[in-house]
Amino acid sequence: MMPLVHRLIFWETPVEIGTIIYSLGCFPTQADLHDFTAEVEEGHTGYIHLDKFLPVMTKVLLENKYPPIPEDLLLQAFEVLDKEKKGYLEPEDLTKYMTQEGDVFTQEEMDEMLTALVDHEKNLIYYKDLINLLTIDPDM
Amino acid sequence: MGNGTIQEITHCFLFLPESSAIRAALLIQRWYRQYVARLEMRRRCTWNIFQSIEYAGEQDQIKLYNFFGFLMDHFTPASSERNLISHIFRENEICRDTEWERYFCYKDIEVPDSYTGPHLTFPMTFCGVSKLVEAFKHKQQLHARYVLQLLGETWRLLRILPNINQVSACHTKEITICGDLHGHLEDLLLIFYKNGLPSSEKPYVFNGDFVDRGKNSLEILLILFGFLLVYPNDVHLNRGNHEDHIVNLRYGFTKEVLGKYRMHGKKILKLLQKIFSWLPLATVIDHKVLIVHGGISDTTDLNTIARVDRHKVREPTHHAVNGSKTQMMNNRNREAGGLVEGRRRVCSLTYHSSAPAYKHNLPRRSLHNQPTSSQLNWSVEEELKRRRRQAGFDQSYGELTKSDSDSDPESGETTETDEHEWKQIVDMLWSDPMPQNGCSPNEVRGGGCYWGPDVSEEVLGKHNLQLLIRSHECKQEGYEFCHNRRVLTIFSASNYYEVGSNRGAYIRMGPDLVPHFIQYQASRTSREFTLRQSIGWTERSALRALKEQLFVHKSDLISAFHEFDPNNTGLISLSHWASVTEKVLNLGLPWRVLRPQLVSSTRYGMVDYHQWIRELSITEPKLEISDNSILETMYKNHSNLETIFRIIDTDHSGLISFEEFRQTWKLLSSHLKTEISDKAIADLAQSIDFNKDGSIDINEFMEAFRLVDLSAHS
């Protein structure tokens, strides 16, 4: 794990801390990310030093602090939004929830989500089929 | 706010319907953001793969030329390679321009009635160039006569242009700045469509790397040169590192020209060689914005650049060779420490002299023997004798660094100035920015340097500039700022690595000198890919390329694995697998992250490496070769071999003799420091069935060994 984080920070344009944590298989909420960042950020520079990040991240991983969301729970979440139990969601409805409730999406995030999840022919979101996007590689 | 449990959500649903929607939304948002982050990481990995392989190829190229340079200095008259080398490097520099003009004359070339392509009249007009653009849009080919005529006019014009184009942005017009095009005609056409054709009202700067890789390099050149001829004050071309005939041998431009113009291709290439050497090196807007292809170094001085004889300075590739030669020597003896190490080491490119060896009139450029009188023939032998005298006899390769300090007193001011000048040019065309301060040799590319934000400040400050615009590196969004927005990279070839890999972009800039970006992506299909789909496509392509690299290094990998498997269990731990693979391939990639896509299964965290290697075997060659080691050498050195072949094929006929073929292999085996027996070469030659006419068709030969991916998961 360590060489990956190190190299990516070194080589590329800066990576967001959330991206790194997510890609290590963790599922923090926005509040979790906020707390994590506060713990490791260099003052208010907007940058994080690797030396500070590594021990905190290691601890998170060892404690399994932000475990993944079980598939059935995710399905339930979609079903809560799908009040009439149609088996799909309209893009407008999903947009309303994603951009108005919880840790709201930006317009850009919403556009991206719709491009990725909407069935282009029917213009609907068949959430049951999309759940498998959650799958994590077993050996990571 | 923790993770919801099933009970919690259903509980909430029953009693507090609004808050359950919030919880559900939170869950979905969290899930989706994780998904996007994983995609982003995959994209970065894929990018890394393409970029590492690309730069490793460039480094390879430079190493090859480094090797030729070494041979030039160190072989004795008795050496059997001598003829081949002098054959390669002889040049008749003394030929005057008038002689060249006669050689390039188009007048005797007839255009047949059957020709359906565009007819050009000179002097070039806007209508003429537009007609040319339309013709190329419809995939027509320009007749060789017109090609030579257009190129001839271009050559004449370029010779009177200065090294640095000075441009002014005024209130009536904005300047458009484009980056690398690399033969992607569809991108150039897209730019013209979105932005308009070049004209006095619409000035353009094209920042180098017009050719190689894409398949319409020549069409792009002809269009750009056409507009240059019509609007010489409003169209500005900067030279890129690919405007170099030696680089073109490897990266496809030479092949493209010879393929399209069988009869006159050689002449066209020769004329282009001259044109490239005469391309300006930089453009400056309002004395405030500097535009160069690669970048700068801590020694960059625009006054020096403005003064040099740019066409006389040796091939930048050649210079990259010489410039970093001392470094290369050191490198050879060092462990493969990985690219991260390389960048951190800050040392200077200042050259402590193998200087005497690289004097002004070095006959290294040529690929052609011109049939001129013996008076004009430069004597390679004399040159070599002189340089050997200066450099000292009997130096071994490794010892050269030591003797560097005993430089010959004869190497006076002139030589040092020459060195300084060409280093400046190489740096301008090959360098890349880095995040940390300092300036160190660019070992990934093999030429130029890495420069840090402090160097940007210093150089821009020294010249009273506010912005450096450069290209040279592919960027996902087509452009990218760095060094505190003092340096801007602009890249105009979309889908550069693969369909969907990146956007292209161009800059519009008005008198306020604030850059505005327009992005685009040329696509053959009208459907838009989702994020997931385009990453998948690009990723598959990158992994294919990577598997190819792994495949050609089979033997090295297996012997390295054996070192970590003393009991011969056939298994190796994941971390050893990762470190060995990196050591052998030296691409600086995150192997552990890539592992799931490269290794199909593991047993309790251990890799069965024999099985893995077997799975990688993705091709059968079309020829029967008994000697396996030659086969591997072939695959591993595919590009080098082709480059050497094309150099040897001095008349660009596409054919080489058996003797030349044998010498090529001998040369390659010297370079690689491996043994390739005469018998093995003879067998190889025999199996190609060249005996019919005593010569080997290069294209057929390379085709036979091209790796074909037969794997199921492609």
Side-chain angles (χ1 to χ4, degrees):
Chain A
M1 299 295 193
M2 277 163 61
L4 159 66
V5 172
H6 185 190
R7 186 170 276 117
L8 283 169
I9 290 174
F10 181 80
W11 273 85
E12 300 272 352
T13 49
V15 183
E16 280 196 16
I17 198 70
T19 306
I20 297 183
I21 298 176
Y22 281 130
S23 67
L24 289 170
C26 303
F27 284 75
T29 62
Q30 296 297 82
D32 292 330
L33 282 179
H34 187 77
D35 294 340
F36 185 101
T37 309
E39 206 179 324
V40 297
E41 192 179 357
E42 291 290 309
H44 295 287
T45 57
Y47 283 92
I48 294 170
H49 219 284
L50 194 61
D51 300 338
K52 262 194 176 171
F53 171 77
L54 286 176
V56 181
M57 191 65 225
T58 310
K59 191 153 173 283
V60 161
L61 289 171
L62 291 173
E63 288 173 4
N64 197 20
K65 203 166 170 195
Y66 312 125
I69 304 170
E71 273 188 32
D72 44 3
L73 197 61
L74 189 60
L75 186 59
Q76 293 242 338
F78 275 108
E79 283 171 351
V80 164
L81 301 185
D82 179 16
K83 296 203 203 77
E84 289 155 45
K85 304 286 168 281
K86 298 195 292 278
Y88 57 80
L89 287 173
E90 310 261 348
E92 300 79 40
D93 290 337
L94 185 63
T95 303
K96 194 181 68 169
Y97 283 116
M98 295 292 102
T99 57
Q100 289 174 19
E101 310 278 11
D103 290 332
V104 295
F105 273 3
T106 61
Q107 187 56 46
E108 207 185 317
E109 276 178 303
M110 196 61 233
D111 292 341
E112 213 171 61
M113 187 189 212
L114 290 177
T115 317
L117 301 189
V118 170
D119 176 317
H120 288 286
E121 279 159 46
K122 308 244 178 73
N123 202 33
L124 296 169
I125 296 155
Y126 290 95
Y127 51 84
K128 289 209 185 94
D129 303 328
L130 298 169
I131 300 285
N132 61 11
L133 284 178
L134 180 66
T135 319
I136 306 176
D137 292 308
D139 285 314
M140 281 263 301
Chain B
M1 209 163 283
N3 308 316
T5 61
I6 297 176
Q7 288 89 345
E8 247 183 288
I9 271 209
T10 39
H11 183 217
C12 292
F13 177 66
L14 290 173
F15 294 105
L16 294 161
E18 298 82 33
S19 129
S20 75
I22 295 174
R23 282 175 170 276
L26 279 167
L27 216 62
I28 294 170
Q29 284 154 346
R30 190 151 49 110
W31 161 77
Y32 182 74
R33 284 180 167 127
Q34 204 266 3
Y35 162 67
V36 168
R38 276 191 292 129
L39 282 184
E40 170 64 11
M41 282 316 199
R42 277 169 65 192
R43 186 199 65 75
R44 283 173 180 257
C45 276
T46 305
W47 196 260
N48 258 8
I49 293 173
F50 277 129
Q51 207 166 46
S52 305
I53 294 180
E54 174 183 7
Y55 295 166
E58 288 186 352
Q59 198 191 112
D60 222 16
Q61 170 86 349
I62 302 266
K63 278 188 192 150
L64 188 64
Y65 269 79
N66 193 29
F67 170 65
F68 284 144
F70 164 69
L71 282 180
M72 280 295 273
D73 294 340
H74 290 92
F75 61 76
T76 63
S79 162
S80 59
E81 286 142 356
R82 167 177 162 251
N83 287 332
L84 183 63
I85 301 297
S86 55
H87 185 51
I88 292 171
F89 288 120
R90 185 169 306 167
E91 164 80 288
N92 289 308
E93 278 303 311
I94 317 297
C95 259
R96 284 185 301 274
D97 281 344
T98 43
E99 314 232 354
W100 285 120
E101 298 230 1
R102 233 183 297 141
Y103 173 66
F104 293 133
C105 189
Y106 60 90
K107 297 205 174 104
D108 294 331
I109 305 176
E110 297 245 334
V111 181
D113 293 328
S114 54
Y115 172 68
T116 53
H119 293 268
L120 298 181
T121 55
F122 289 82
M124 262 316 234
T125 60
F126 180 73
C127 288
V129 197
S130 320
K131 201 165 54 173
L132 198 59
V133 176
E134 278 309 302
F136 288 152
K137 220 186 265 184
H138 295 106
K139 311 219 189 302
Q140 292 173 354
Q141 182 165 308
L142 186 65
H143 195 273
R145 178 199 173 95
Y146 297 129
V147 173
L148 284 168
Q149 203 170 356
L150 201 159
L151 293 181
E153 294 297 312
T154 307
W155 184 33
R156 245 163 254 124
L157 171 60
L158 288 175
R159 277 182 283 181
I160 60 177
L161 292 181
N163 295 343
I164 303 180
N165 299 311
Q166 296 286 351
V167 182
S168 150
C170 63
H171 67 280
T172 51
K173 43 193 183 183
E174 286 194 329
I175 297 179
T176 308
I177 302 160
C178 299
D180 292 29
L181 288 166
H182 279 302
H184 286 215
L185 183 61
E186 60 277 11
D187 285 313
L188 184 61
L189 294 175
L190 195 51
I191 295 173
F192 285 164
Y193 176 71
K194 288 169 93 72
N195 197 53
L197 295 174
S199 68
S200 313
E201 279 70 51
K202 197 149 280 182
Y204 271 79
V205 178
F206 291 96
N207 200 15
D209 276 11
F210 318 122
V211 302
D212 279 330
R213 301 188 200 277
K215 53 185 178 59
N216 294 107
S217 299
L218 188 59
E219 283 76 22
I220 290 196
L221 280 184
L222 294 171
I223 291 176
L224 296 184
F225 292 157
F227 279 112
L228 178 70
L229 288 172
V230 181
Y231 301 109
N233 296 317
D234 302 294
V235 173
H236 307 279
L237 306 179
N238 288 343
R239 187 175 187 180
N241 63 309
H242 277 260
E243 275 71 57
D244 176 335
H245 78 286
I246 293 178
V247 175
N248 297 150
L249 283 170
R250 189 194 194 97
Y251 288 104
F253 182 48
T254 308
K255 195 170 173 180
E256 179 190 321
V257 173
L258 294 175
K260 289 177 177 167
Y261 293 93
R262 291 187 185 277
M263 214 163 96
H264 298 103
K266 158 185 155 195
K267 220 178 251 194
I268 292 174
L269 285 171
K270 193 69 193 164
L271 185 43
L272 280 167
Q273 190 183 327
K274 301 234 163 273
I275 286 176
F276 286 163
S277 73
W278 274 106
L279 282 171
L281 300 168
T283 298
V284 175
I285 303 181
D286 281 342
H287 307 287
K288 285 279 162 216
V289 178
L290 172 64
I291 311 176
V292 292
H293 175 74
I296 54 176
S297 76
D298 52 358
T299 58
T300 295
D301 177 19
L302 292 182
N303 296 315
T304 309
I305 303 271
R307 278 194 323 255
V308 306
D309 269 334
R310 68 182 187 272
H311 74 290
K312 273 213 193 123
V313 179
R314 308 326 299 192
E315 236 74 63
T317 339
H318 167 86
H319 287 281
V321 165
N322 297 333
S324 51
K325 186 164 180 161
T326 324
Q327 298 308 325
M328 288 290 188
M329 304 293 191
N330 295 331
N331 290 351
R332 272 178 208 272
N333 300 327
R334 193 179 324 119
E335 289 297 320
L339 298 166
V340 175
E341 293 304 299
R343 283 207 204 185
R344 288 224 174 101
R345 211 184 55 251
V346 178
C347 40
S348 135
L349 252 188
T350 315
Y351 203 77
H352 301 296
S353 202
S354 325
Y358 308 104
K359 273 205 119 194
H360 220 20
N361 300 320
L362 200 55
R364 282 196 193 198
R365 281 212 262 168
S366 155
L367 307 177
H368 291 276
N369 293 325
Q370 292 309 317
T372 53
S373 76
S374 54
Q375 281 176 318
L376 298 177
N377 274 350
W378 189 268
S379 169
V380 175
E381 266 176 69
E382 278 166 14
E383 173 69 6
L384 286 168
K385 269 195 215 132
R386 184 166 58 84
R387 282 191 283 119
R388 285 216 315 277
R389 236 183 296 127
Q390 290 173 343
F393 291 117
D394 299 321
Q395 282 173 340
S396 71
Y397 205 18
E399 279 177 325
L400 198 66
T401 43
K402 284 192 229 140
S403 58
D404 277 353
S405 48
D406 313 321
S407 61
D408 193 280
E410 230 179 286
S411 64
E413 298 277 324
T414 331
T415 317
E416 278 177 28
T417 318
D418 290 346
E419 303 311 314
H420 186 60
E421 282 178 1
W422 60 244
K423 180 190 182 296
Q424 296 259 335
I425 295 183
V426 175
D427 287 340
M428 262 193 165
L429 266 43
W430 285 82
S431 300
D432 292 310
M434 65 173 174
Q436 337 106 299
N437 284 336
C439 192
S440 54
N442 190 327
E443 281 160 11
V444 177
R445 305 256 194 188
C449 67
Y450 286 121
W451 86 91
D454 55 337
V455 177
S456 290
E457 283 306 316
E458 196 199 307
V459 172
L460 291 178
K462 182 167 84 173
H463 296 98
N464 220 354
L465 299 161
Q466 71 190 39
L467 177 64
L468 166 63
I469 299 179
R470 43 88 66 175
S471 303
H472 199 40
E473 282 179 306
C474 183
K475 295 294 175 191
Q476 164 94 346
E477 294 299 322
Y479 72 94
E480 193 174 273
F481 277 105
C482 68
H483 292 189
N484 245 335
R485 293 180 80 91
R486 297 282 260 166
V487 176
L488 171 58
T489 303
I490 184 77
F491 195 87
S492 302
S494 68
N495 304 323
Y496 180 59
Y497 289 126
E498 178 54 84
V499 172
S501 68
N502 65 290
R503 295 198 173 93
Y506 60 90
I507 300 170
R508 298 265 313 191
M509 186 179 270
D512 59 358
L513 303 181
V514 173
H516 300 277
F517 306 97
I518 295 90
Q519 299 165 295
Y520 53 84
Q521 198 157 11
S523 81
R524 269 163 229 117
T525 65
S526 49
R527 238 194 62 181
E528 250 195 43
F529 288 123
T530 65
L531 206 68
R532 185 168 32 135
Q533 283 165 327
S534 67
I535 287 186
W537 184 269
T538 320
E539 200 177 36
R540 267 196 297 278
S541 183
L543 289 172
R544 240 198 322 271
L546 194 53
K547 281 184 193 154
E548 211 173 273
Q549 289 292 307
L550 290 166
F551 173 69
V552 302
H553 286 91
K554 268 197 315 201
S555 306
D556 294 338
L557 283 169
I558 291 195
S559 40
F561 285 142
H562 272 146
E563 283 174 43
F564 287 93
D565 181 21
N567 301 325
N568 248 328
T569 59
L571 297 173
I572 187 174
S573 76
L574 275 175
S575 58
H576 284 151
W577 173 84
S579 59
V580 165
T581 309
E582 173 54 30
K583 185 144 184 252
V584 171
L585 257 64
N586 201 17
L587 287 172
L589 292 173
W591 296 100
R592 297 191 69 152
V593 176
L594 296 169
R595 201 269 315 152
Q597 285 147 319
L598 294 173
V599 182
S600 56
S601 66
T602 58
R603 260 191 270 163
Y604 312 110
M606 304 287 276
V607 177
D608 180 338
Y609 56 90
H610 286 293
Q611 188 193 350
W612 179 56
I613 297 283
R614 267 197 303 275
E615 281 169 4
L616 283 177
S617 296
I618 58 177
T619 185
E620 294 299 322
K622 296 182 197 156
L623 304 178
E624 293 292 310
I625 309 285
S626 53
D627 189 333
N628 269 320
S629 69
I630 266 207
L631 199 65
E632 262 215 26
T633 307
M634 265 275 359
Y635 283 121
K636 221 188 272 197
N637 294 280
H638 205 253
S639 283
N640 277 341
L641 206 53
E642 181 162 4
T643 306
I644 298 175
F645 278 157
R646 293 203 182 280
I647 294 170
I648 289 172
D649 177 27
T650 52
D651 62 358
H652 291 304
S653 60
L655 303 169
I656 56 174
S657 72
F658 170 59
E659 184 52 32
E660 287 166 335
F661 180 76
R662 199 185 65 80
Q663 285 182 330
T664 305
W665 276 98
K666 279 284 175 211
L667 211 61
L668 189 64
S669 65
S670 281
H671 173 48
L672 300 174
K673 298 189 174 32
T674 60
E675 276 303 306
I676 299 180
S677 69
D678 273 346
K679 174 153 191 325
I681 297 175
D683 286 345
L684 185 61
Q686 209 166 37
S687 68
I688 302 171
D689 195 24
F690 76 100
N691 288 316
K692 284 186 284 198
D693 53 358
S695 58
I696 297 165
D697 184 312
I698 298 176
N699 283 327
E700 268 178 20
F701 181 73
M702 298 310 293
E703 209 31 57
F705 283 92
R706 202 162 57 86
L707 288 174
V708 172
D709 188 1
L710 302 173
S711 62
H713 41 194
S714 56

